[in-house]
Amino acid sequence: MTNRVTEKQLQAIVDRINKITNSPASPYIDGKAQIGHYHISHAYGGVCLHRMRNDGGGVSDTFQCGHVTKRELADQLYAFIAGINSTQEA
């Protein structure tokens, strides 16, 4: 049986993604959207990785799969990090 994925764990992974991609750590500073910031969206009983795309706060669904379970998102996030790391090694 696998361990439950918590909100705190997901946030730590997303913070790591923001760090390794040199993306802003906060979604807004002084009311202004920080383009490039990754954050977790919650809707429909699931979670999704969004990235800030414009100064008006518009976002995109990074994995283009909508809201999924926390476990599914954690797996996607780990794969995303592995992909980033593999391109940095080359």
Side-chain angles (χ1 to χ4, degrees):
M1 186 169 166
T2 59
N3 292 333
R4 181 179 303 248
V5 174
T6 67
E7 185 69 28
K8 186 176 179 179
Q9 290 169 320
L10 288 177
Q11 189 58 56
I13 301 167
V14 173
D15 290 345
R16 183 174 168 201
I17 290 171
N18 278 318
K19 184 174 181 176
I20 64 178
T21 60
N22 294 316
S23 297
S26 299
Y28 293 91
I29 296 177
D30 296 327
K32 184 176 181 215
Q34 299 301 296
I35 298 170
H37 172 77
Y38 288 98
H39 59 273
I40 300 168
S41 168
H42 298 81
Y44 314 109
V47 289
C48 178
L49 183 66
H50 279 181
R51 189 171 197 194
M52 200 75 71
R53 289 295 180 188
N54 60 47
D55 57 9
V59 298
S60 64
D61 175 354
T62 304
F63 302 127
Q64 299 180 356
C65 65
H67 292 79
V68 297
T69 66
K70 289 179 183 174
R71 167 70 54 203
E72 288 175 281
L73 182 59
D75 291 343
Q76 292 171 350
L77 294 173
Y78 287 129
F80 189 52
I81 290 171
I84 292 168
N85 289 338
S86 71
T87 62
Q88 292 175 346
E89 293 170 2

